[in-house]
Amino acid sequence: MQANILAFALGVALLQQQATLPEISWAWALLPGALFSRILWRYQSPILAVAGKILLVVTFFGAGFFWAAAFAQWRLADALPYEWEGRDIQLVGVVAELPQANELRIRFAFDVEQVLTESAVVPARISLAWYKEREEYASIAMLPQINAGERWQVTTRLKRPHGSSNPHGFDAEKSALERNIRATGYVRKSNDNLRLDEMVDRPAYRIERLRQEIRERFIQTLPDYAYVGVLVALAVGEQRAIPREQWQVFTRTGVNHLMSISGLHVTMVSSLVFALAYWLWCWSHRLALWLPARKAAAIAGLAAALGYALLAGFEVPAQRTVYMLAVVAIALWLGRLTSATTVLTWALLAVVVIDPWAVLSPGFWLSFGAIAIIMLVTVGRIGKTHWLTGWARVQWAITLGLIPLLLAMFQQVSLVSPIANAIAIPLVSLVVVPLTLLAALPPLDFMLLPAHMALSVCMDILRWLSDVPQAVWSQHAPPLWTVLAGMAGIIWMLLPSGGGLGFTAGFPARWLGAVALLPMFLLLPPKPATGELWLTVLDVGQGLAVVARTENNALLYDTGPGFNSDADSGNRIIVPFLRGESIRQLDAMIVSHADSDHSGGAQSVLDAVPVRWLVSSLNADHPLQQATASKRACRAGESWDWDGVRFDMLHPLEQSYDNPKLKTNALSCVLKITTAHGSVLLPADIEKKTERELIARIGNALSSTVLVAPHHGSKTSSTEEFVRQVNPALTIFTVGYRSHFGHPREEVVERYRTQGSKLLRSDTDGAVLLRFADNRVTVETWRALYRRYWQDAPVSTANQP
């Protein structure tokens, strides 16, 4: 049965890689396979029996595939129609999850109960943001108090789930589908926005309100303490309460799994409750005669695990643990011995049946992978070992075993994680978590202080380890086949060692497993040849970020927008792309001008990647200018050559910096990159006056094969003369999905279309990947390359504004 369950899970995983969903009617083809496999089993022939087992495995594989497809079709059917995007819709519904607040807004999931706007169609669950009014940005007190479980009447504007689409980037549309968020939007200012009920009495809403109350009580009890966010995360699974800089410490030391509700914490709570219930039950002979203490304790332990997991938001690691404990509890209840692998596989089946999208989560693979590795090095081993030796073996095995998965998903591995986990696991799991959970009970708030003190000791050690210069190994994203080879090699290395001649007491030549790891590190991504240019226009929403690569050099032109105090295009999009493409250093970073949609991610890039030169039009007192010593202003006339590729700065002029009346857009650094295969013009946010100056000053030098449209296609730019002078074969508009600026403007798009230019847009095409090589320009878009069924089909740019 274990092979069948694994096949089912693989079928589920395969469905999540599909560009389109299959017809569910094909699932009927599985029935003959299942029946035929049973018929083959009845024959005495060993060959037919094996064939029957193989056929059954294939049938389970198909069942997993179509099970996930059915779930996907059902969920995708609940969609916001295109015609209702961006229109006022009045709704009545319930705040369904823990609200998230920052300095500008409150965001919350909203279960729609009633659509008051006539003929409007709205999905059952949406995500809403309630923003401050612009004049009230100074005070968060002006935001309404939103509590989980409240029923509200609100006027909203919605759009379909849409996120940036980039290589090695986060897929927001996938995340929304998994969370069953079928539209996103914001609450419009209206006198009709009313709280209708203080609490809707349903179990799910009660749990969310409890989570919110615990979070608020923790923050009130420890108002100015550094690590109260971590304690909140350990109690109710609210990981967004942890500041970004603390997450960086956890990531660099490899203990981030401990700072959320992990399977280890759930198991520990369940075990403590099991032991306590068993001890108390044994005190009563009447209870013990009515129900054996072991069965009663199993029920209590499982209930505790389920309660803690629900309080924590029921994420994949907690789910996996609850399902495993459920299998163990059932085995204890029935009096049957159950192997560790059986427990793990049945838990796997429960996870993928209930949540087919769990296979897309890094936590799914890391969680099940860690447990599988622990079983590999502990279950079935002969002989006794000292507890310290066993502990060290498990820590080493997990660190080694998760390397391929960590490199595939995050392109980095903590080298200090064995030491960090050896210290943090007992301290957090045995001291911090129990005290934190006790403090979740209102009379025991005082427990938070010793919990915070213990956590502070742990954090001091982790910070010291994080500051070790080589604490983290970072590299490119390895190809899939190298990851699979590496996993096979690690399994071979972790098998029992041989003795004597090697074959009778264990497995021989385990060192050969290390050879299978080498391709992950040695097989580097391809790079441009001499004279070639690889250009990636990243999808950063309403903003701009372009990575230009030659054979031995890399340049970043603009850094996209900032999103909030903890997230921006730099840490969310640009740095993951650079790491995944094995770009370890930027020879230059150009910040064209000070507007936040072009400079918002710069500091995150400077913090994460060595940058030789910062080139910009920023004022001398700008924070970015203070953050680096190697800097200079961009000036027309500057040029340089990298690997046979020419870079020319066309604007601004030296005297432009002496004119205080010029807006930041007029100071935009305009860069042209020229190769033997074609050229590209990057004009940032220049406007009509600057375009005319460039035409008058350099004329034909503006002609380019590719143009990133100035100012995102705004009507203030792209004059007819400029479009005619540049005459691009390809024009790229970098715009946000349904941008409130209305970019690109229809009349601007029409000018480029009339000129005969091919048009691409970052909101519908995602990142644009260009290769200037072989006397031509090869163009690919990430939404076409990485097409998945949950993404809206890209709309043809030939027929749209």
Side-chain angles (χ1 to χ4, degrees):
M1 191 60 187
Q2 294 180 24
N4 296 332
I5 292 175
L6 291 176
F8 186 94
L10 289 174
V12 171
L14 179 64
L15 186 279
Q16 309 305 344
Q17 306 304 314
Q18 302 306 302
T20 58
L21 291 175
E23 291 290 337
I24 296 298
S25 58
W26 284 100
W28 291 106
L30 298 175
L31 291 179
L35 293 173
F36 194 54
S37 67
R38 299 298 300 177
I39 292 173
L40 290 176
W41 274 8
R42 294 181 179 180
Y43 289 93
Q44 299 299 318
S45 171
I47 296 177
L48 292 178
V50 170
K53 291 180 179 180
I54 294 174
L55 184 57
L56 188 60
V57 168
V58 173
T59 302
F60 267 83
F61 178 84
F65 184 83
F66 285 106
W67 175 265
F71 258 67
Q73 289 193 358
W74 166 69
R75 188 161 288 184
L76 289 176
D78 187 25
L80 178 73
Y82 287 103
E83 60 267 24
W84 281 101
E85 287 189 294
R87 297 171 61 179
D88 284 359
I89 305 175
Q90 197 171 50
L91 304 173
V92 173
V94 183
V95 179
E97 292 181 357
L98 195 66
Q100 308 297 325
N102 64 20
E103 62 273 15
L104 297 178
R105 54 97 180 125
I106 297 175
R107 181 171 292 279
F108 51 92
F110 194 68
D111 283 348
V112 177
E113 295 180 318
Q114 187 179 2
V115 181
L116 300 181
T117 302
E118 185 178 357
S119 74
V121 178
V122 177
R125 173 166 285 204
I126 61 178
S127 176
L128 293 176
W130 199 317
Y131 291 94
K132 294 180 184 177
E133 296 300 314
R134 291 185 180 274
E135 65 271 15
E136 296 169 351
Y137 276 176
S139 173
I140 196 164
M142 303 308 296
L143 283 167
Q145 177 64 40
I146 305 291
N147 298 307
E150 292 178 338
R151 178 178 283 120
W152 280 80
Q153 176 180 300
V154 289
T155 300
T156 65
R157 280 195 178 176
L158 304 175
K159 63 182 180 180
R160 296 164 70 91
H162 191 93
S164 59
S165 180
N166 297 284
H168 317 294
F170 175 70
D171 190 336
E173 293 162 60
K174 174 192 73 176
S175 176
L177 180 68
E178 183 178 3
R179 295 170 53 218
N180 197 22
I181 299 295
R182 303 305 303 129
T184 63
Y186 62 96
V187 178
R188 295 271 286 166
K189 185 177 181 179
S190 172
N191 293 330
D192 294 329
N193 294 334
L194 303 171
R195 182 187 289 109
L196 302 179
D197 289 301
E198 293 290 339
M199 185 68 212
V200 177
D201 194 12
R202 296 177 190 167
Y205 301 149
R206 285 289 182 187
I207 292 172
E208 292 301 319
R209 176 65 69 87
L210 177 61
R211 296 178 70 205
Q212 183 175 357
E213 290 172 352
I214 292 173
R215 180 183 68 180
E216 292 175 353
R217 187 153 39 82
F218 277 27
I219 294 173
Q220 292 171 2
T221 304
L222 302 176
D224 297 315
Y225 285 69
Y227 308 119
V228 64
V230 178
L231 299 180
V232 169
L234 291 174
V236 298
E238 181 45 55
Q239 298 183 29
R240 283 166 288 195
I242 302 177
R244 173 183 164 190
E245 60 272 13
Q246 293 177 16
W247 269 123
Q248 290 177 336
V249 173
F250 302 148
T251 300
R252 287 182 59 83
T253 54
V255 301
N256 40 353
H257 65 99
L258 283 178
M259 303 308 161
S260 57
I261 307 299
S262 69
L264 177 64
H265 299 153
V266 176
T267 303
M268 181 203 68
V269 170
S270 178
S271 299
L272 289 175
V273 173
F274 177 93
L276 180 62
Y278 185 85
W279 180 73
L280 292 174
W281 202 267
C282 288
W283 275 84
S284 172
H285 295 291
R286 179 176 299 179
L287 289 175
L289 290 173
W290 175 68
L291 182 68
R294 188 183 294 268
K295 291 185 177 182
I299 296 173
L302 180 60
L306 179 60
Y308 187 25
L310 290 173
L311 188 65
F314 214 53
E315 297 295 334
V316 170
Q319 287 181 38
R320 181 260 304 162
T321 305
V322 169
Y323 300 147
M324 290 180 66
L325 292 173
V327 174
V328 173
I330 292 171
L332 286 174
W333 186 272
L334 298 177
R336 296 182 180 179
L337 294 177
T338 302
S339 68
T341 54
T342 299
V343 171
L344 186 63
T345 52
W346 279 101
L348 173 65
L349 180 63
V351 169
V352 297
V353 166
I354 295 173
D355 181 11
W357 295 280
V359 298
L360 297 172
S361 167
F364 172 87
W365 298 98
L366 295 175
S367 178
F368 278 98
I371 295 297
I373 290 167
I374 292 172
M375 289 182 178
L376 179 64
V377 298
T378 58
V379 175
R381 298 297 175 105
I382 300 174
K384 294 183 179 180
T385 59
H386 190 273
W387 68 268
L388 185 59
T389 303
W391 172 264
R393 177 188 295 167
V394 168
Q395 288 299 310
W396 161 249
I398 292 176
T399 301
L400 182 65
L402 295 182
I403 285 176
L405 292 176
L406 291 171
L407 289 180
M409 292 183 285
F410 306 112
Q411 293 83 58
Q412 60 182 20
V413 175
S414 173
L415 300 181
V416 299
S417 64
I419 300 174
N421 277 286
I423 297 170
I425 287 177
L427 190 55
V428 172
S429 298
L430 300 179
V431 179
V432 177
V433 169
L435 291 174
T436 302
L437 291 180
L438 288 173
L441 302 174
L444 301 178
D445 285 348
F446 63 89
M447 291 288 189
L448 280 175
L449 189 57
H452 191 277
M453 293 173 62
L455 184 59
S456 298
V457 173
C458 182
M459 285 299 301
D460 288 341
I461 299 172
L462 293 179
R463 287 187 185 279
W464 180 80
L465 290 171
S466 175
D467 291 337
V468 173
Q470 301 300 326
V472 177
W473 169 267
S474 298
Q475 65 158 66
H476 61 281
L480 178 60
W481 74 265
T482 66
V483 174
L484 297 176
M487 292 171 64
I490 286 173
I491 291 173
W492 185 259
M493 293 171 65
L494 295 178
L495 291 172
S497 59
L501 295 176
F503 291 90
T504 57
F507 291 84
R510 292 186 304 151
W511 59 270
L512 288 174
V515 177
L517 290 172
L518 295 180
M520 285 195 305
F521 302 98
L522 301 181
L523 190 64
L524 299 177
K527 65 178 185 178
T530 302
E532 293 182 355
L533 171 70
W534 290 7
L535 195 85
T536 304
V537 182
L538 293 170
D539 176 12
V540 293
Q542 187 66 33
L544 180 63
V546 181
V547 178
R549 286 180 284 174
T550 65
E551 184 179 20
N552 298 301
N553 299 93
L555 175 146
L556 173 63
Y557 181 92
D558 279 342
T559 61
F563 306 133
N564 54 54
S565 58
D566 290 329
D568 53 56
S569 296
N571 55 41
R572 292 296 177 89
I573 297 172
I574 299 171
V575 171
F577 174 80
L578 297 177
R579 185 183 298 127
E581 294 295 309
S582 194
I583 301 175
R584 297 175 178 267
Q585 172 183 286
L586 290 171
D587 297 281
M589 182 170 76
I590 299 176
V591 178
S592 64
H593 61 298
D595 286 5
S596 61
D597 58 335
H598 293 253
S599 62
Q603 188 60 59
S604 292
V605 176
L606 289 171
D607 291 341
V609 181
V611 177
R612 290 181 59 189
W613 284 99
L614 171 65
V615 183
S616 73
S617 62
L618 304 174
N619 293 332
D621 58 351
H622 193 281
L624 288 176
Q625 296 280 41
Q626 309 300 319
T628 180
S630 302
K631 57 198 174 191
R632 62 171 181 257
C634 52
R635 293 180 175 87
E638 291 184 341
S639 64
W640 64 95
D641 185 285
W642 283 346
D643 309 312
V645 177
R646 182 177 176 84
F647 295 76
D648 292 287
M649 195 68 71
L650 307 182
H651 186 78
L653 296 170
E654 177 72 39
Q655 55 267 32
S656 300
Y657 291 102
D658 299 327
N659 185 352
K661 296 182 180 180
L662 287 180
K663 297 189 300 182
T664 56
N665 286 350
L667 290 174
S668 294
C669 305
V670 178
L671 179 68
K672 182 177 181 180
I673 310 175
T674 307
T675 76
H677 318 285
S679 57
V680 59
L681 182 65
L682 305 174
D685 278 357
I686 62 171
E687 298 179 343
K688 295 177 180 179
K689 183 178 180 181
T690 305
E691 290 178 354
R692 296 190 185 103
E693 290 177 357
L694 285 169
I695 293 171
R697 181 158 48 85
I698 59 178
N700 292 335
L702 287 173
S703 178
S704 302
T705 314
V706 177
L707 170 68
V708 176
H711 205 179
H712 318 288
S714 166
K715 64 181 180 180
T716 63
S717 306
S718 297
T719 61
E720 291 183 5
E721 297 83 2
F722 181 80
V723 173
R724 187 164 51 250
Q725 190 70 60
V726 179
N727 190 25
L730 170 66
T731 302
I732 302 169
F733 296 98
T734 56
V735 293
Y737 181 67
R738 299 194 60 83
S739 165
H740 64 275
F741 295 106
H743 297 158
R745 294 289 182 172
E746 169 60 28
E747 61 269 28
V748 171
V749 174
E750 187 58 34
R751 288 174 201 156
Y752 288 104
R753 186 182 290 124
T754 301
Q755 189 67 24
S757 182
K758 178 183 178 181
L759 309 180
L760 293 175
R761 297 170 48 146
S762 60
D763 59 344
T764 56
D765 297 298
V768 181
L769 292 71
L770 305 104
R771 292 193 178 188
F772 295 75
D774 301 324
N775 296 317
R776 61 193 178 97
V777 181
T778 303
V779 183
E780 294 179 308
T781 63
W782 189 245
R783 282 193 180 271
L785 288 172
Y786 182 76
R787 180 79 184 117
R788 293 295 184 268
Y789 69 82
W790 53 78
Q791 299 169 342
D792 279 339
V795 181
S796 172
T797 55
N799 301 314
Q800 68 170 33

